[in-house]
Amino acid sequence: MRKRVLVVDDSAAMRTLVTTTIETLGDFAVDEAKGGVEALSLLNHAAYDIILLDINMPDLHGLELLGFIRSNPRNKATPIILISTESTERDREKGLALGASAYVAKPFSPEELAAHVSRLAGS
Amino acid sequence: MTSSLVGGIEDFLAEAQEIVDHLSSTLLAVDQGTKSGGVDPDLINTFFRHAHSLKGLAGMFGQTEVGGIAHHFENVLDALRLGRVRLDRDNLDLFYETIETFHAQLAAVAGGPAHGRDMDALTARLDAAERSKAPWQKSGLPRVPVEPAIAEVLSEYEEHRLRENLARGATLYDVRVAYEVTAIESGLSGMRERLKPVGEVIATLPNPIPGDDVRLEFRFIVGSVVPEANVAAALFGSGAVVSVLPLVTITPTASAATGAGAATEAGAGKGAAAANVGADPGVAAGAASAPPSAGDNVPISLRSVSQTVRVDIARLDSLMNIVGELVLAKAGILRVTERLKGEPELGHLAVELHREYRILDRRVAELREGLLEVRMVPLSTIFDKLTRVARSISRSAGKSVEVVVSGADTELDKLIVEELSDPLLHMLRNSIDHGIEAPETRAARGKPPAGRVELRAYQKGNHVVIEVADDGGGIDPDGIRKVALERGAVTQTRLAEMSARDLLNLIFLPGLSTKSEVSELSGRGVGLDVVKNNIAKLSGVIDIDSEPGRGTTFTITLPITLAILPALIVRSAGQVFAIPLSSVLESIAVDPSRLHRLAGREVVTLRGVTLPILRLAETFGFGPTRPITSAANTWYVVVVGIAELRLGILVEDLAGQQDVIIKSLGKMLSGARGIAGATELGNQEPVLVLDVAALVEEALRREVAA
């Protein structure tokens, strides 16, 4: 069965990059959200198998979105990969404390991202 | 990284260019903020986010040079938004330079010439700026004193803003509101707009509502000094529920115990104690009474190196108002003195009083001058910024333009300087975008390849003149004629009899200066009419001179200050008006028989020059100018002029000269044309102050339309 993935990032170029990386891995259906608000409505209606979340977004902060996902029954247990640059170290720690499964620092190699996604997708 | 996974260089350039443009405009807004006394923390955070995005983007596309600078830039901005690096002039300059470097780098990536900039030097300077940050302990930063459900999802930056709000004594409010999933975006932006005047939105937390599939709840954590009832009133009708967010006491963690312990003892009350926990080093230094232990990186002296004080301009305004009241009181004393002089047995007292009055008069004048001087800032504050922006504009336009500045030390009222940056920027853009020709055209015309734009300023009496001159293609009169006719701005007959100057001035009419093709540089739809209105609001006048093929010069004439001005007091139809003396050229008694009509306009001929006449009483609807009753009576024509324009204002009486302080008429009348504001004279009667620039313009507009 196709795994559903949600990519949340405010950068169009980053979204394309992440989506391309995931799609080359195999049978994934990827949804993209260009910010926290758009992600909220997607998350309220669909259950995802993996969520990739950028921390720094202008409309809603990634940590707050993470808090939302963790308190919403629909995606409570979905593995989450946080994507951000290494400078926001405290944010990364808090994200992992909130139950993010993995953290990928920008710039990342597609192989690194692919490894995380494959592992979490159980394939 | 496999290159097949990475999008083309165009993808990178498109987004990187957009981010760098955002960085530029944000920096301008930040710079503006520092000059008007406060930068919105949100703006700094936006600035940081853009740098952060650029770094991430560059990293993914293997643009190591851009990424490297962006990385160091982001570190400085991160420290800045967390309050650990100061936003001073040096840093602002460094930021401008960094953004210019990004532009140069992107141009090189896009296939342009190598930029030849010294990356190591810039990196070193960015590092130095970051290292100047206040020391802090990385580990053991205590939790913020709010319920764990909130504390654990706040980002580091939000934690910092929350502490800052507590440190400034703000109350934290918990504003809850639910939106349907489809209406989240508009709901959030509407709520943020409503909360803006109330305080700072520190965080926005989404929450699912159990059993509700259609709606989500949002909690806005807002820092505000406004009482709860007022917050609730501001949100009335929005469906939001407001409560005060309780502060919780945090048990200090081991590593933070030393500093925070002292603060907790010192602070009284739960709010204060909680607020001090984990405040920034700078804030905590004041509260911590324990002597610093050896090895701590504590500055030797807390005394500030700077000898300057930043003052909110509103305070200067209120001081100026007090001076205004002193001037009124002074006028009252003078009246009493005059009355005393008439009493035979009190004559000697009148003389003494008059002597004291003169001393008071001198001191009040000195006080006023001193206050005015404080408000003055050199134009260099905006000229510097404009030259920097000009460089990046010319780069995006693919033109080589040299910006030459003179008279940057000319001083003007701070408020005027602030309001000038937008119109000047617009004119500069105009010059570079539309004025300066493409390099090939310049070569064909035998001009040097680099275009030249001059920003000149000088003082002329009570005015400051600013010129923006380019050596570009000039304005084509036929082009103006064509557009003016197309848009129905003038009739064919009127056009035929227009002088070259009148024709040029048509480009200030709404819609006339908007190019048919949208230019990315000069903005969309904002024409010179907007520039003209902005200048008029400052009681200034804009003028244009252009020679096809040789260039265009815009000239702005502005009063030095708007705060106080000497005025001529006149009467018409029983009303008293004040005319700013700076625009009065002369006043002449005229016999009504010398007034006559020419082409439907009332005019008077003075020394062979025909002058249009404006009857003050009629203009403002106070009834007709009073007829002359006795042969001895005459009317007066006050000749006013702005730039090359002249107008005669017909009044019945001149009542002398006096300093007035213009007070705004408030919102109701702020749009009234021809009125700059109101003032009081010694007898406490309100008097309208004329806006000469607007009156002259109005009169001439009628002439154009006629």
Side-chain angles (χ1 to χ4, degrees):
Chain A
M1 195 188 138
R2 297 186 97 190
K3 300 269 184 190
R4 292 197 72 170
V5 179
L6 176 64
V7 175
V8 190
D9 198 310
D10 58 318
S11 154
M14 289 299 299
R15 286 197 304 274
T16 311
L17 201 59
V18 173
T19 303
T20 321
T21 306
I22 297 171
E23 283 175 344
T24 52
L25 282 179
D27 205 11
F28 288 96
V30 184
D31 283 348
E32 293 183 6
K34 60 175 186 294
V37 169
E38 200 176 312
L40 282 180
S41 39
L42 290 172
L43 286 165
N44 214 40
H45 288 289
Y48 289 95
D49 296 302
I50 297 176
I51 298 168
L52 292 103
L53 191 54
D54 180 26
I55 287 193
N56 254 291
M57 291 181 297
D59 57 351
L60 276 182
H61 196 273
L63 287 180
E64 282 141 8
L65 196 58
L66 189 53
F68 171 82
I69 296 169
R70 285 294 169 246
S71 56
N72 188 340
R74 191 167 277 118
N75 286 289
K76 206 176 172 66
T78 308
I80 293 168
I81 303 176
L82 287 179
I83 302 178
S84 194
T85 48
E86 77 274 19
S87 60
T88 42
E89 202 169 316
R90 186 175 167 83
D91 292 351
R92 185 194 67 181
E93 280 167 21
K94 293 186 90 169
L96 295 175
L98 278 168
S101 313
Y103 169 81
V104 178
K106 281 187 212 170
F108 51 84
S109 72
E111 290 78 17
E112 185 192 355
L113 183 70
H116 281 299
V117 172
S118 305
R119 178 172 59 83
L120 293 171
S123 52
Chain B
M1 176 182 313
T2 344
S3 62
S4 66
L5 286 179
V6 180
I9 203 76
E10 296 76 25
D11 282 351
F12 165 73
L13 280 174
E15 193 159 327
Q17 191 63 58
E18 197 176 315
I19 296 174
V20 174
D21 288 346
H22 283 313
L23 278 171
S24 287
S25 56
T26 313
L27 178 55
L28 282 182
V30 168
D31 195 353
Q32 195 83 34
T34 59
K35 284 170 185 150
S36 49
V39 181
D40 186 349
D42 218 25
L43 210 52
I44 303 275
N45 192 39
T46 306
F47 200 33
F48 161 78
R49 251 191 334 90
H50 290 317
H52 179 83
S53 306
L54 184 63
K55 170 185 156 186
L57 186 74
M60 293 318 301
F61 283 84
Q63 295 293 333
T64 45
E65 196 192 82
V66 176
I69 298 295
H71 171 66
H72 295 280
F73 192 35
E74 180 199 3
N75 287 348
V76 181
L77 296 185
D78 190 28
L80 180 71
R81 74 182 183 137
L82 294 173
R84 282 149 47 203
V85 162
R86 278 161 43 90
L87 186 61
D88 56 16
R89 196 65 246 170
D90 285 350
N91 279 337
L92 281 171
D93 286 344
L94 178 60
F95 299 162
Y96 277 114
E97 202 180 317
T98 308
I99 292 172
E100 272 175 44
T101 303
F102 287 140
H103 276 298
Q105 288 176 328
L106 293 185
V109 171
H115 55 73
R117 286 166 179 250
D118 186 347
M119 292 301 124
D120 291 343
L122 183 60
T123 306
R125 286 175 59 202
L126 287 168
D127 280 351
E130 192 211 339
R131 275 197 306 274
S132 75
K133 72 187 176 192
W136 74 310
Q137 290 151 307
K138 199 173 188 145
S139 56
L141 192 66
R143 285 221 329 259
V144 284
V146 292
E147 62 180 88
I150 295 175
E152 66 189 14
V153 298
L154 292 184
S155 66
E156 183 178 3
Y157 173 67
E158 289 162 343
E159 288 180 344
H160 167 70
R161 293 311 313 161
L162 193 139
R163 288 194 195 96
E164 285 284 288
N165 270 281
L166 290 175
R168 74 178 170 109
T171 306
L172 298 182
Y173 291 102
D174 183 1
V175 177
R176 293 167 185 248
V177 61
Y179 296 116
E180 288 193 13
V181 176
T182 49
I184 293 177
E185 195 144 10
S186 60
L188 287 184
S189 60
M191 186 54 87
R192 283 180 183 143
E193 218 37 60
R194 290 180 81 143
L195 285 169
K196 214 172 210 165
V198 174
E200 179 181 346
V201 177
I202 297 167
T204 310
L205 313 175
N207 281 312
I209 304 173
D212 191 337
D213 251 9
V214 193
R215 294 182 314 151
L216 292 179
E217 185 198 53
F218 287 84
R219 292 176 80 178
F220 295 87
I221 309 303
V222 181
S224 170
V225 289
V226 169
E228 187 177 353
N230 297 18
V231 178
L235 299 177
F236 181 76
S238 66
V241 179
V242 181
S243 61
V244 173
L245 188 70
L247 297 180
V248 298
T249 315
I250 306 290
T251 324
T253 55
S255 54
T258 18
T264 316
E265 276 168 42
K270 67 174 170 69
N276 272 333
V277 175
D280 285 337
V283 179
S289 48
S293 55
D296 273 1
N297 195 0
V298 172
I300 315 280
S301 167
L302 292 175
R303 189 180 290 255
S304 154
V305 184
S306 164
Q307 292 289 330
T308 55
V309 177
R310 296 179 75 97
V311 183
D312 184 350
I313 197 117
R315 287 207 196 175
L316 292 182
D317 279 342
S318 78
L319 283 180
M320 191 52 92
N321 272 331
I322 295 175
V323 172
E325 271 144 37
L326 276 180
V327 170
L328 294 188
K330 206 183 65 177
I333 293 175
L334 188 61
R335 269 205 319 279
V336 174
T337 314
E338 296 301 327
R339 270 174 54 201
L340 278 181
K341 274 183 191 158
E343 307 282 328
E345 64 273 32
L346 294 173
H348 65 284
L349 266 184
V351 173
E352 249 174 75
L353 188 59
H354 197 252
R355 196 181 309 128
E356 297 297 330
Y357 165 80
R358 282 213 308 274
I359 295 171
L360 177 68
D361 186 38
R362 234 182 358 254
R363 292 290 173 261
V364 170
E366 283 168 13
L367 180 60
R368 197 200 75 190
E369 268 161 38
L371 260 180
L372 280 182
E373 234 166 71
V374 172
R375 303 169 63 96
M376 295 294 163
V377 291
L379 276 167
S380 57
T381 50
I382 50 174
F383 277 13
D384 290 357
K385 199 165 76 187
L386 287 169
T387 37
R388 284 199 207 95
V389 179
R391 266 184 247 145
S392 73
I393 297 172
S394 46
R395 198 160 27 226
S396 355
K399 295 172 181 174
S400 162
V401 178
E402 184 193 5
V403 180
V404 184
V405 171
S406 64
D409 52 353
T410 311
E411 293 196 324
L412 259 178
D413 190 310
K414 164 107 178 154
L415 282 182
I416 301 183
V417 172
E418 292 297 329
E419 295 300 318
L420 266 181
S421 57
D422 279 352
L424 282 180
L425 179 61
H426 193 86
M427 288 158 65
L428 199 62
R429 284 209 155 118
N430 237 308
S431 289
I432 297 172
D433 192 13
H434 305 311
I436 304 291
E437 311 95 323
E440 314 83 65
T441 321
R442 290 185 68 86
R445 290 183 176 166
K447 291 181 177 179
R452 187 180 164 94
V453 177
E454 283 187 55
L455 275 173
R456 296 186 287 251
Y458 53 92
Q459 193 171 342
K460 191 173 163 189
N462 269 334
H463 287 98
V464 164
V465 180
I466 301 172
E467 295 173 350
V468 180
D470 68 62
D471 70 344
I475 296 170
D476 171 23
D478 290 333
I480 303 181
R481 280 195 196 96
K482 188 164 157 279
V483 180
L485 281 177
E486 268 172 22
R487 314 252 158 115
V490 281
T491 61
Q492 185 88 53
T493 9
R494 176 71 198 134
L495 205 54
E497 50 186 49
M498 266 191 180
S499 68
R501 169 170 295 278
D502 292 343
L503 189 63
L504 271 180
N505 275 316
L506 286 179
I507 70 165
F508 292 116
L509 290 178
L512 264 275
S513 57
T514 326
K515 273 208 143 182
S516 40
E517 78 270 28
V518 172
S519 153
E520 203 183 326
L521 292 174
S522 297
R524 293 158 188 83
V526 180
L528 284 169
D529 55 315
V530 177
V531 171
K532 180 171 190 151
N533 286 342
N534 287 342
I535 299 294
K537 276 189 207 137
L538 300 171
S539 301
V541 162
I542 184 168
D543 218 354
I544 181 173
D545 194 14
S546 182
E547 212 179 313
R550 301 290 295 278
T552 304
T553 302
F554 286 97
T555 307
I556 300 176
T557 310
L558 291 157
I560 286 179
T561 181
L562 298 175
I564 192 163
L565 73 172
L568 180 68
I569 312 298
V570 301
R571 283 202 191 89
S572 187
Q575 293 291 320
V576 183
F577 297 90
I579 307 178
L581 211 55
S582 55
S583 31
V584 174
L585 301 170
E586 58 182 331
S587 303
I588 299 156
V590 291
D591 192 290
S593 65
R594 284 174 61 195
L595 301 173
H596 53 275
R597 300 194 85 80
L598 191 72
R601 297 257 325 153
E602 194 168 24
V603 296
V604 66
T605 306
L606 293 174
R607 296 187 289 272
V609 178
T610 308
L611 205 65
I613 287 290
L614 179 113
R615 286 179 179 244
L616 208 47
E618 280 94 330
T619 304
F620 294 111
F622 289 120
T625 308
R626 286 185 188 172
I628 288 165
T629 45
S630 78
N633 268 356
T634 47
W635 283 343
Y636 293 89
V637 169
V638 180
V639 182
V640 292
I642 298 269
E644 281 76 42
L645 312 172
R646 302 283 178 269
L647 178 70
I649 298 178
L650 187 70
V651 300
E652 292 140 33
D653 195 13
L654 301 179
Q657 190 182 319
Q658 198 166 328
D659 280 346
V660 299
I661 293 187
I662 300 192
K663 300 190 176 174
S664 150
L665 287 173
K667 280 203 176 111
M668 287 285 287
L669 286 169
S670 63
R673 283 196 71 80
I675 300 290
T679 189
E680 292 178 299
L681 303 178
N683 53 10
Q684 328 254 286
E685 258 179 56
V687 165
L688 292 175
V689 181
L690 299 186
D691 178 351
V692 173
L695 285 176
V696 170
E697 190 192 314
E698 184 80 29
L700 295 173
R701 188 207 304 259
R702 253 182 267 157
E703 201 180 7
V704 170

